[in-house]
Amino acid sequence: MLKKWIVVPVVVSLSFFSAFTALGKENKVMNLHAESGSEIILKKVEYREIEDGEGYITIEGRATADGIIEAYQIQIDTENGTYITKSLDYNSSKEELTAEESEEELTYEGRDSSENSILAAKSYYKGWLRASTEDPVRIETAASKISMSWSEDADGLLECTSSTFNTWAANPSEFDTHWYKNGQSFPKYKYNSDNSKITQTAWAAYYNYDFGNDDLRTDVKHNMTMIPVNKNIGSGQFDYKVTMDKSGESSALLQLNVTTN
């Protein structure tokens, strides 16, 4: 099956002050709307300025666990309060795939109820959500990935059979910069009250001291949420949310990529 990739490089306009809603002296937030011509409409795109012009973007969307990897690029215009998405193709490099295979992995194994399997036919799905940081020369420097497998019975009850979290830092990167892991969290997934949704959250942090000046530090953090949903919304689909928080030397030059499958 031909695969397409979802990649989300984010380009931020510098002229943003007039369009923000203030949330305190050093915390401004903007909800962005899709421009005409956007090929993919996201559920929500938010840009939040923290202080001194630094900020982060949060993307919310929905994907289908059907084995097809799609791709889009998002650019935001904070002056006009908009974003635009364009579909694109992406081919992962051999080096990236090899590195990802050796990522640190955290795993939760669920249990598919044998009683439920006998009483009702089930459908099975496997999907994943990946956030990565890309430097100005389009080299990935750090990546975080949630992978989930789940089943759905005829009544729309979901059951998680496996959930894993992988993290990876380029050390060294293709251009001899060195990124390091700086902590991560992967709490066990949770069901809602009627088992129609499963929520898995995770975060991972990374840092670098040779992005430019060896005496200055650059920090990046991926916050991620993946939520498989049942037939009332769309069997085999999942909602997702990704935030990349970045700070330090030249952090404004870093871009966020998001991949779903």
Side-chain angles (χ1 to χ4, degrees), residues 98-122:
T98 300
E100 188 170 303
E101 288 175 358
S102 62
E103 290 173 335
E104 181 179 348
E105 178 177 287
L106 301 175
T107 303
Y108 290 113
E109 294 293 340
R111 183 179 65 181
D112 189 18
S113 169
S114 58
E115 181 180 356
N116 288 342
S117 297
I118 294 174
L119 295 177
K122 289 189 174 185

Side-chain angles (χ1 to χ4, degrees), residues 58-111:
T58 297
I59 297 171
E60 296 185 25
R62 180 170 293 159
T64 302
D66 56 5
I68 299 176
I69 305 172
E70 298 177 316
Y72 62 87
Q73 180 183 81
I74 179 171
Q75 296 182 336
I76 71 173
D77 179 352
T78 52
E79 183 175 7
N80 294 308
T82 61
Y83 72 87
I84 189 168
T85 55
K86 297 292 184 181
S87 297
L88 45 86
D89 295 323
Y90 181 83
N91 293 315
S92 182
S93 67
K94 180 179 179 181
E95 291 77 11
E96 179 187 336
L97 291 174
T98 300
E100 188 170 303
E101 288 175 358
S102 62
E103 290 173 335
E104 181 179 348
E105 178 177 287
L106 301 175
T107 303
Y108 290 113
E109 294 293 340
R111 183 179 65 181

Side-chain angles (χ1 to χ4, degrees), residues 3-241:
K3 292 188 175 182
K4 300 179 182 178
W5 285 78
I6 285 191
V7 182
V8 185
V10 177
V11 181
V12 179
S13 168
L14 297 179
S15 52
F16 51 81
F17 295 100
S18 63
F20 280 101
T21 300
L23 296 180
K25 293 182 179 179
E26 295 183 338
N27 199 342
K28 302 175 182 178
V29 63
M30 171 183 283
N31 290 315
L32 307 178
H33 305 283
E35 289 185 14
S36 175
S38 290
E39 298 179 26
I40 297 174
I41 306 301
L42 298 170
K43 293 179 64 179
K44 184 177 181 180
V45 177
E46 179 183 274
Y47 183 76
R48 185 180 297 269
E49 182 204 358
I50 304 173
E51 58 183 2
D52 299 329
E54 292 187 345
Y56 57 87
I57 189 168
T58 297
I59 297 171
E60 296 185 25
R62 180 170 293 159
T64 302
D66 56 5
I68 299 176
I69 305 172
E70 298 177 316
Y72 62 87
Q73 180 183 81
I74 179 171
Q75 296 182 336
I76 71 173
D77 179 352
T78 52
E79 183 175 7
N80 294 308
T82 61
Y83 72 87
I84 189 168
T85 55
K86 297 292 184 181
S87 297
L88 45 86
D89 295 323
Y90 181 83
N91 293 315
S92 182
S93 67
K94 180 179 179 181
E95 291 77 11
E96 179 187 336
L97 291 174
T98 300
E100 188 170 303
E101 288 175 358
S102 62
E103 290 173 335
E104 181 179 348
E105 178 177 287
L106 301 175
T107 303
Y108 290 113
E109 294 293 340
R111 183 179 65 181
D112 189 18
S113 169
S114 58
E115 181 180 356
N116 288 342
S117 297
I118 294 174
L119 295 177
K122 289 189 174 185
S123 298
Y124 293 85
Y125 306 97
K126 182 175 183 179
W128 48 264
L129 168 65
R130 186 177 188 267
S132 62
T133 298
E134 185 177 271
D135 68 15
V137 291
R138 299 190 60 80
I139 300 299
E140 284 198 338
T141 61
S144 312
K145 180 180 178 182
I146 299 175
S147 301
M148 296 184 72
S149 297
W150 68 95
S151 64
E152 179 179 355
D153 68 17
D155 294 324
L157 299 178
L158 302 184
E159 189 167 16
C160 183
T161 56
S162 177
S163 185
T164 64
F165 186 48
N166 301 80
T167 58
W168 169 80
N171 193 330
S173 71
E174 194 171 319
F175 286 90
D176 202 35
T177 59
H178 299 77
W179 288 81
Y180 302 88
K181 298 177 183 180
N182 191 35
Q184 61 186 19
S185 175
F186 184 56
K188 190 171 182 178
Y189 52 84
K190 294 182 179 180
Y191 296 96
N192 66 343
S193 59
D194 61 359
N195 280 45
S196 63
K197 295 182 179 180
I198 311 169
T199 299
Q200 177 67 73
T201 62
W203 65 259
Y206 309 88
Y207 70 94
N208 167 283
Y209 270 110
D210 59 2
F211 193 39
N213 187 327
D214 290 352
D215 294 325
L216 299 177
R217 174 165 162 160
T218 305
D219 283 270
V220 168
K221 183 178 181 181
H222 300 151
N223 289 283
M224 308 168 66
T225 303
M226 181 173 173
I227 309 175
V229 297
N230 75 355
K231 61 183 182 179
N232 293 331
I233 298 176
S235 294
Q237 296 187 8
F238 61 90
D239 290 329
Y240 65 87
K241 180 177 180 179

